[in-house]
Amino acid sequence: DIVMTQTPLSSPVTLGQPASISCRSSQSLVHSDGNTYLSWLQQRPGQPPRLLIYKISNRFSGVPDRFSGSGAGTDFTLKISRVEAEDVGVYYCMQATQFPLTFGQGTKVEIK
Amino acid sequence: QVQLVQSGAEVKKPGASVKVSCKASGYTFTSYYMHWVRQAPGQGLEWMGIINPSGGSTSYAQKFQGRVTMTRDTSTSTVYMELSSLRSEDTAVYYCGSGPNAFDIWGQGTMVTVSS
């Protein structure tokens, strides 16, 4: 199975300041079709997760442009340019390149 | 609108089975695979398996092989996830998810509590 490792596991951030989460996979996430199926999910307290970013850097419908994804191969990053109160929650990276799909441990973003 | 609506919370005794449903609406049911993911209290996300609503083929995570069965009913646009031989460690919220990017849409979650 592909192991997804996120850092940090907790990220206290000041409102309006940037935040960054890293995700590393135990093997390349490049699929044989040429795509890299790395997604980022946000889970607000008490809610189901929701898709933020797919295929490394594509923002899902309705996701604010302060969220951006980057990376390649085995190293990926989610950035929030200016954290807002509604961004509080847990963020997961997820790979769908190979079965079983696997998730990172989650990074808790909270306001200082 | 596009949505997945899951069945309500369940309380089961150890050794029993549970069957959770996930009804799709607002899109063509057979267009996208359906995934099942679970989340134990205070824990992260764990993928359980996938079903193709079109042909019914499935693929399960090794951990759940032999205990999980995913089925679908195209007449009602509903997929089902049945987990048997329940133990306390199966207490979790169970989610269905679907879409062209695997998890574009999520169900609201179904809490399954296993307790004697």
Side-chain angles (χ1 to χ4, degrees):
Chain A
D1 297 1
I2 297 176
V3 177
M4 306 296 288
T5 304
Q6 288 182 228
T7 54
L9 298 185
S10 178
S11 180
V13 186
T14 301
L15 285 173
Q17 293 301 301
S20 181
I21 302 169
S22 294
C23 176
R24 177 166 290 179
S25 58
S26 60
Q27 57 189 270
S28 174
L29 297 186
V30 180
H31 193 274
S32 56
D33 66 7
N35 288 305
T36 299
Y37 295 100
L38 183 283
S39 297
W40 289 96
L41 308 169
Q42 176 198 58
Q43 187 172 32
R44 291 172 173 151
Q47 294 188 15
R50 71 156 173 151
L51 181 64
L52 289 179
I53 303 282
Y54 62 95
K55 286 193 276 187
I56 302 177
S57 59
N58 296 275
R59 265 190 307 276
F60 186 58
S61 174
V63 174
D65 61 7
R66 64 179 180 275
F67 291 93
S68 63
S70 62
T74 61
D75 287 283
F76 306 93
T77 302
L78 174 71
K79 291 183 179 175
I80 310 174
S81 59
R82 295 172 305 281
V83 171
E84 297 189 6
E86 66 178 17
D87 300 336
V88 165
V90 180
Y91 292 76
Y92 297 92
C93 60
M94 182 205 79
Q95 68 81 21
T97 292
Q98 179 185 116
F99 285 174
L101 275 63
T102 48
F103 298 87
Q105 318 96 299
T107 295
K108 188 172 186 178
V109 171
E110 51 195 0
I111 306 302
K112 275 184 189 174
Chain B
Q1 73 276 28
V2 175
Q3 61 178 351
L4 299 174
V5 178
Q6 297 184 222
S7 48
E10 303 263 13
V11 179
K12 296 292 182 181
K13 293 196 182 305
S17 297
V18 68
K19 192 169 187 177
V20 180
S21 67
C22 171
K23 182 175 174 60
S25 62
Y27 71 99
T28 303
F29 175 66
T30 52
S31 291
Y32 307 116
Y33 285 56
M34 190 75 74
H35 299 260
W36 287 91
V37 168
R38 76 177 186 180
Q39 185 171 39
Q43 302 301 308
L45 301 169
E46 181 176 33
W47 185 78
M48 299 180 69
I50 186 174
I51 181 168
N52 179 354
S54 180
S57 61
T58 56
S59 180
Y60 304 136
Q62 181 74 21
K63 176 176 179 175
F64 300 102
Q65 286 276 4
R67 280 211 304 146
V68 71
T69 304
M70 296 177 189
T71 56
R72 95 290 190 215
D73 181 344
T74 54
S75 68
T76 59
S77 299
T78 302
V79 298
Y80 300 90
M81 186 284 298
E82 184 170 21
L83 189 62
S84 62
S85 302
L86 290 169
R87 35 210 188 229
S88 58
E89 310 88 87
D90 294 317
T91 293
V93 177
Y94 290 76
Y95 295 103
C96 55
S98 188
N101 302 294
F103 290 104
D104 306 58
I105 331 160
W106 289 75
Q108 82 275 23
T110 297
M111 181 71 211
V112 175
T113 303
V114 183
S115 173
S116 54

